[in-house]
Amino acid sequence: MNGDSRSEYESYLSRATKEAGFTFFGRVFALAFGFAAQAILARLLGADLLGVYVLAWTVVMAVTILTTFGFEGGFVRFIAMYVAQDRRDRARAVLSFGILFGTLAALAATAIVILLRRPIAIGFFKEPRLEPALLWMSLAILPYTLTRLYAAALRALKDMRRSIIGSEFWFRIPRLLIFLALFYAGMRLNGIVAAAVFACVLSAVATARYLRGSGPFLFGRGGRSSPDGISRREVLSYSGQMLSETVTAFALLEGGRLILGYFLESASVGIYNIVVLLAMLATLFTFSFNAIFSPMIADVYHRGKRDLMVSLLVTITRWILLLTLPAYAWLLLSGEAVLGIFGPEFVAGYAALAVLATAQLVESSAGSVASCLAMTKYQRFNVANTVVMAIVSVTMNVILIPRMGIVGAGIATGASIALVNVARLIEGRVLLGVFPYDRSTLKVLATGAVLLVLVYVVRRYWGAPDRWYWAAVSLVACYAVAGGLTFLMGTSDEDRMVLSSVLRKVLKRGDSG
């Protein structure tokens, strides 16, 4: 790498570290609150009623995938493009078209869910308590559809902060507070359902207000009568493609819950819901780095700098792995204690948690290759991967859940995640000539091996932590061991650059406080 490339590489790496930090801390806060909220819900409702609620909410999520019709992706592309071109009338027309489409579709979907609530609840899930839950939960379809669309428009304007606050915090916090008030007034399942509906309404209002503040030009008259206005067919065509990706991704991530609800009792759905929540902890760093890594890849690829792309890929993958391995080891070591926070009955999900966490570790080792495919001319391979992964996941869920319960759901989803990441590695190597590992990755693997040996020794000779505070201590210990081993084996210039960037950001935040 010559001097200019080296300087550019260091600039990209520094920026990736800083921006990933912003995304990471925001995501950590959201997950931490979600963890606490789910723990409260699980403690107050129990796995059985929590499972009924999860089924009702999953139905709403499935329906709103159809009512938004891929406009979330369409907004991000077309609104951002027209704003960049200073064609605000067209951006306004895209928003108006999408909101009108989503509103009409949501109203129709609400009526359909109300009419079909009994066949869905009793005929499919064999759960009578789901019927009244679906009746009231259907009222969330319209506000949740609007929330998703307004939040996507905010992302198109690059206002990620308001998009997340409006769609996440204005939903999660009011839902918990309203539920607690209704629970202590004597409402349990009806309380959480009503809380979710009210929270969706508040979230829709908040995101709409934020969008008016960030992009007032998107509202009011104009755009629709422009002589060279938008091509609705083009917007629908692109959004339809995005819809197909969203549907397959939903089938992969949420299919296990629905199939569990079909074959088993609602308590299993409640336990599996918590297992998935905890397994997602292993994706924190993958998501944070890749959210910033993707546009960088698009930039360097289209300028023909493949060597720079490979260097960034290897370094970012190494750091994702290094930061994910301690979290993975911690889940293996203290999974029962963490699950026990939600209630004794949730400890039964440990085996499924171990399987899903392992799959997420595999995802962290190869997930950045998906960003390379997405930001180049090979996006269709990502689509194909997602479709195949969803088919494999659903098929294996249908086969394994009746035989193995929630462990079968974990194996089905975990195996499909692992297989698609192997496919990504092959595609990245063949199509782009990139590979996310080099000799420096061996040090990370050695760190992981030591952590796993220590997990085995502790569980074998001392036993797994049985209290939440010992689980907290073990988390600190896992990261301390990983950090110590990293420094003992030596750090590269790139590693020191990442650490320096993080420390500067932390110290700057401390000074500002």
Side-chain angles (χ1 to χ4, degrees):
M1 193 182 298
N2 59 38
D4 291 340
S5 295
R6 179 71 184 182
S7 176
E8 190 173 11
Y9 165 71
E10 292 177 354
S11 174
Y12 274 118
L13 187 57
S14 177
R15 199 171 89 214
T17 305
K18 292 176 182 178
E19 296 301 326
F22 284 124
T23 308
F24 169 73
F25 285 114
R27 191 167 172 82
V28 164
F29 183 82
L31 277 177
F33 182 84
F35 183 93
Q38 286 292 326
I40 294 171
L41 293 180
R43 283 284 183 177
L44 296 180
L45 293 174
D48 187 33
L49 289 182
L50 179 62
V52 177
Y53 165 71
V54 168
L55 285 175
W57 179 247
T58 305
V59 169
V60 169
M61 286 195 297
V63 170
T64 55
I65 288 174
L66 300 178
T67 57
T68 54
F69 196 75
F71 275 102
E72 290 170 286
F75 279 5
V76 171
R77 175 181 176 179
F78 289 102
I79 292 179
M81 178 180 71
Y82 289 139
V83 169
Q85 296 172 351
D86 199 27
R87 296 180 174 180
R88 296 186 171 187
D89 57 335
R90 292 191 176 188
R92 182 166 54 247
V94 171
L95 178 69
S96 299
F97 179 44
I99 295 298
L100 177 62
F101 185 101
T103 299
L104 295 177
L107 291 173
T110 300
I112 292 171
V113 170
I114 291 174
L115 291 173
L116 297 181
R117 66 186 187 280
R118 185 174 181 82
I120 294 172
I122 299 176
F124 188 82
F125 291 111
K126 305 175 184 64
E127 177 53 78
R129 293 171 297 179
L130 184 59
E131 182 180 353
L134 281 175
L135 173 62
W136 296 110
M137 191 67 88
S138 64
L139 301 179
I141 293 174
L142 176 58
Y144 191 51
T145 296
L146 294 176
T147 296
R148 294 177 63 161
L149 292 176
Y150 286 135
L154 282 165
R155 292 197 299 274
L157 298 179
K158 299 180 177 62
D159 194 344
M160 289 296 296
R161 183 178 64 87
R162 289 183 176 180
S163 176
I164 292 172
I165 291 173
S167 61
E168 292 289 335
F169 295 101
W170 273 98
F171 173 75
R172 294 176 184 271
I173 296 174
R175 182 186 62 172
L176 178 61
L177 296 178
I178 294 170
F179 167 67
L180 289 175
L182 294 177
F183 177 83
Y184 288 107
M187 300 173 66
R188 299 186 69 197
L189 178 59
N190 289 338
I192 184 58
V193 170
V197 173
F198 282 119
C200 284
V201 173
L202 290 173
S203 183
V205 172
T207 49
R209 287 178 62 87
Y210 287 150
L211 184 59
R212 283 186 176 274
S214 292
F217 56 87
L218 292 174
F219 296 86
R221 296 183 179 180
R224 188 175 301 177
S225 60
S226 176
D228 58 345
I230 64 168
S231 168
R232 296 189 178 186
R233 179 176 297 180
E234 181 184 6
V235 174
L236 278 175
S237 175
Y238 181 83
S239 299
Q241 294 176 37
M242 299 301 295
L243 172 65
S244 64
E245 291 187 42
T246 306
V247 168
T248 52
F250 178 86
L252 170 67
L253 297 175
E254 307 294 341
R257 292 185 178 95
L258 296 177
I259 298 171
L260 271 171
Y262 177 79
F263 284 110
L264 303 178
E265 70 285 353
S266 57
S268 295
V269 180
I271 294 172
Y272 187 70
N273 182 65
I274 299 302
V275 166
V276 173
L277 171 69
L278 293 178
M280 292 298 290
L281 292 174
T283 68
L284 271 174
F285 300 100
T286 306
F287 175 86
S288 301
F289 275 96
N290 285 343
I292 308 303
F293 182 53
S294 295
M296 292 182 181
I297 288 299
D299 181 18
V300 298
Y301 173 79
H302 291 293
R303 290 194 289 123
K305 298 192 174 185
R306 194 188 69 83
D307 290 343
L308 179 57
M309 180 172 69
V310 173
S311 297
L312 287 168
L313 173 64
V314 170
T315 301
I316 287 177
T317 298
R318 184 171 69 250
W319 270 91
I320 290 174
L321 266 175
L322 186 60
L323 293 169
T324 301
L325 275 168
Y328 169 66
W330 173 67
L331 289 174
L332 294 184
L333 176 62
S334 306
E336 293 101 333
V338 180
L339 286 165
I341 295 172
F342 298 87
E345 56 196 323
F346 291 91
V347 177
Y350 173 74
L353 173 61
V355 172
L356 277 179
T358 302
Q360 297 298 352
L361 179 65
V362 175
E363 170 81 15
S364 72
S365 71
S368 296
V369 178
S371 297
C372 294
L373 295 171
M375 294 297 109
T376 60
K377 60 182 179 180
Y378 300 109
Q379 165 63 10
R380 64 184 182 278
F381 287 89
N382 270 340
V383 176
N385 290 340
T386 305
V387 171
V388 171
M389 185 164 53
I391 293 172
V392 170
S393 178
V394 170
T395 303
M396 292 184 67
N397 270 301
V398 171
I399 295 172
L400 295 179
I401 285 176
R403 294 168 173 80
M404 304 176 68
I406 60 175
V407 177
I411 292 174
T413 303
S416 60
I417 291 174
L419 287 172
V420 81
N421 279 284
V422 171
R424 285 171 178 167
L425 290 175
I426 296 172
E427 291 161 358
R429 187 69 170 177
V430 173
L431 299 173
L432 292 170
V434 301
F435 201 59
Y437 320 122
D438 64 4
R439 289 183 180 179
S440 65
T441 310
L442 295 176
K443 295 180 181 180
V444 181
L445 295 179
T447 299
V450 172
L451 283 170
L452 293 180
V453 168
L454 289 176
V455 168
Y456 172 79
V457 170
V458 171
R459 289 184 66 92
R460 176 71 173 80
Y461 295 102
W462 283 278
D466 58 355
R467 295 289 188 273
W468 68 265
Y469 44 84
W470 288 120
V473 170
S474 67
L475 176 61
V476 175
C478 285
Y479 274 98
V481 169
L485 290 172
T486 299
F487 282 101
L488 284 174
M489 287 185 286
T491 56
S492 65
D493 293 339
E494 290 84 0
D495 294 332
R496 285 189 288 273
M497 186 190 312
V498 171
L499 288 171
S500 176
S501 179
V502 171
L503 288 174
R504 283 198 303 270
K505 183 58 61 178
V506 171
L507 291 174
K508 183 178 179 181
R509 283 175 175 268
D511 292 340
S512 64

